[in-house]
Amino acid sequence: MSDILLQIDGKEVKAKEGMTILEAALSAGIVIPTLCHHKKLEPFGACRICIVELEVRGWTRLVVSCVYPVEKNLVVRTRSEKIDRIRKMILELLLAHAPDSVHLQRLAEEYGADKDRFEKEASFCIHCGLCVRYCAEVKKMNAVGFVDRGIRKEIGFIPEVAAKVCWDCKECFPLCPTSYLQAAYVLTEGLCFPRASAGREER
Ligand code: SF4
Ligand code: FES
């Protein structure tokens, strides 16, 4: 694979063909915030917090860095007034769903986002898909999935699968940027396979 030279925040960065801008930035120690990215998973491009600006012939263009591939001589900016404004808005919208998320609060502080700007939705899941994709792509279990679509979309554990595999795994729990995943699991376990968990506690 040939090397590709590009510029990120004024720094010359050497990347491999096929890498995304996010991967190239990370390899050069440049931090771009992410919410739906995980290095073991296929790019998803859902949260949009990782947007960056490309400079092309004097014009700027916004792209999602976790899915956009590196190109020769790209000039990339990871922070600007416009980028920060968009990240602030994204965070304010997400905080309406998960106001207590420590992860979101940390980013909100950095981008000056107001967690009370939008009316609370209190659905807690921000649809990053990390749990669903990790379980499918890494664990090959599909114990958790998205149900419904659009604004009614939410994640749910598949009780028949979860009862068999989740207790000894739970690798998705720390991936969740909110507390929703764990709560959803506890609820599913309590409602659908309580005896299985009670038996394990006695072990
Ligand atoms: S439950 Fe958590 S990890 Fe899963 S999609 Fe929602 S916010 Fe993401
Ligand atoms: S991290 Fe890139 S869209 Fe979520």
Side-chain angles (χ1 to χ4, degrees), residues 158-173:
I158 317 301
E160 307 77 53
V161 187
K164 289 192 197 114
V165 299
C166 290
W167 184 265
D168 295 319
C169 174
K170 295 183 182 166
E171 285 173 30
C172 60
F173 283 14

Side-chain angles (χ1 to χ4, degrees), residues 24-49:
L26 287 176
S27 74
I30 298 167
V31 176
I32 298 174
T34 62
L35 286 168
C36 68
H37 170 78
H38 188 289
K39 62 178 192 291
K40 288 189 180 165
L41 304 178
E42 287 297 316
F44 194 47
C47 73
R48 298 296 203 251
I49 199 88

Side-chain angles (χ1 to χ4, degrees), residues 68-100:
Y68 200 93
V70 290
E71 287 164 16
K72 200 169 134 207
N73 299 330
L74 267 188
V75 176
V76 181
R77 252 193 310 270
T78 69
R79 291 292 290 256
S80 70
E81 207 180 300
K82 195 171 177 183
I83 294 171
D84 285 11
R85 211 172 44 238
I86 295 171
R87 288 188 186 149
K88 174 177 179 291
M89 169 75 92
I90 292 171
L91 288 165
E92 286 169 341
L93 288 165
L94 295 178
L95 280 159
H97 291 270
D100 298 326

Side-chain angles (χ1 to χ4, degrees), residues 125-131 146 155 176-178 180-181:
C125 174
I126 60 165
H127 300 148
C128 69
L130 285 173
C131 56
F146 279 118
I155 64 112
C176 180
T178 78
Y180 184 72
L181 181 64

